[in-house]
Amino acid sequence: FLFALICSMSLFTACSDDDDDKIKDPVIGTWKVPAVELDENNSVIGGSVFMTWEAPEDTYLSFLPVSAIPSLAIQMGSVILPQVLQDVTLSADGNIVATYSSAGIDLSGEKPITPVWETSPADYATFKLQGNGKMLLFLNLEKIIADANTKADITTVISQLLELVKNGIPVNYALSNNNEEVKIFIDKELMTTIAAMGQILGDLPTAMSKTTKFELGLNLKK
């Protein structure tokens, strides 16, 4: 869900405007957020969010065992995401544009909220492909903070985050079903880097040190 919010933002230049420099890769295009998948008992079994977190059984994040977190993330994320994100476009010029709604969310299913779709604003995020199913995501944090009317204290953690954003956020992608489906996700390496930024993240550094595999991201379809 965090990566979805990142993808809900759009551009600041990372690639040339020259037609000869247009990106040519099957991941380029508009990717739609699929509806939530339910079983015969109307329980969530899948959808737009996926998560894998492999660690020893005694690994906890706060009071939750790590083994319980993926199912919770999939259930909540797959219900929430289609209500706030309709699609994400990875453009050939390196820009990211999303169709999103800020009308609100409904977790109960009792008061459905009609999305009001709009296009993400400019100067927020871009990407650059690295090959082998990897890309770098670049964010304009100054504009994001300014547009959110947020006053941020420049702490050590913020400074480290700014450095990470400056160098590009490493993101993975995997195409399947004749390039009609894509998984876009972050992995253990990135989460370990984030976890090392400060004690503000609680038990996450310890949990990541025990983790053998971590993936969190989106399932999207053409």
Side-chain angles (χ1 to χ4, degrees):
F1 184 59
L2 174 61
F3 180 71
L5 295 180
I6 293 174
C7 284
S8 297
M9 306 162 186
S10 141
L11 21 153
F12 72 95
T13 305
C15 299
S16 170
D17 291 331
D18 210 331
D19 286 342
D20 291 338
D21 291 331
K22 297 291 186 182
I23 302 171
K24 298 177 178 65
D25 188 277
V27 77
I28 301 303
T30 297
W31 298 94
K32 298 178 181 179
V33 174
V36 61
E37 298 176 13
L38 304 174
D39 62 16
E40 61 276 8
N41 299 315
N42 284 328
S43 297
V44 177
I45 57 175
S48 54
V49 174
F50 75 92
M51 184 177 192
T52 300
W53 196 341
E54 297 177 0
E57 293 184 3
D58 62 349
T59 306
Y60 279 73
L61 196 61
S62 186
F63 62 90
L64 278 176
V66 160
S67 58
I69 294 177
S71 61
L72 292 174
I74 291 169
Q75 290 176 32
M76 292 190 64
S78 295
V79 170
I80 292 173
L81 198 62
Q83 299 181 59
V84 298
L85 187 65
Q86 187 177 61
D87 58 53
V88 176
T89 298
L90 302 179
S91 301
D93 59 4
N95 293 324
I96 299 175
V97 179
T99 305
Y100 72 99
S101 171
S102 56
I105 60 174
D106 170 44
L107 290 176
S108 67
E110 298 175 357
K111 298 179 180 179
I113 297 173
T114 301
V116 180
W117 300 116
E118 52 188 309
T119 303
S120 57
D123 301 326
Y124 270 58
T126 56
F127 71 100
K128 188 172 183 179
L129 299 183
Q130 300 293 291
N132 298 319
K134 296 183 180 295
M135 67 173 77
L136 291 177
L137 179 67
F138 297 88
L139 300 182
N140 187 340
L141 280 186
E142 290 184 0
K143 184 169 180 60
I144 293 169
I145 292 172
D147 288 355
N149 294 317
T150 301
K151 294 182 179 179
D153 294 327
I154 304 301
T155 63
T156 300
V157 174
I158 292 297
S159 297
Q160 291 173 328
L161 181 58
L162 286 171
E163 190 64 25
L164 174 64
V165 170
K166 175 183 176 182
N167 295 326
I169 301 171
V171 177
N172 305 277
Y173 67 95
L175 293 152
S176 61
N177 192 21
N178 294 320
N179 298 330
E180 292 295 311
E181 299 179 1
V182 65
K183 291 180 180 288
I184 302 178
F185 59 96
I186 60 176
D187 58 18
K188 178 188 174 182
E189 183 177 359
L190 176 59
M191 283 302 298
T192 300
T193 299
I194 294 173
M197 288 183 176
Q199 295 180 350
I200 190 174
L201 297 172
D203 297 335
L204 185 58
T206 300
M208 292 310 302
S209 69
K210 298 180 179 180
T211 296
T212 55
K213 183 178 181 179
F214 179 94
E215 293 180 352
L216 171 62
L218 307 180
N219 294 311
L220 302 173
K221 298 181 178 181
K222 281 288 180 89

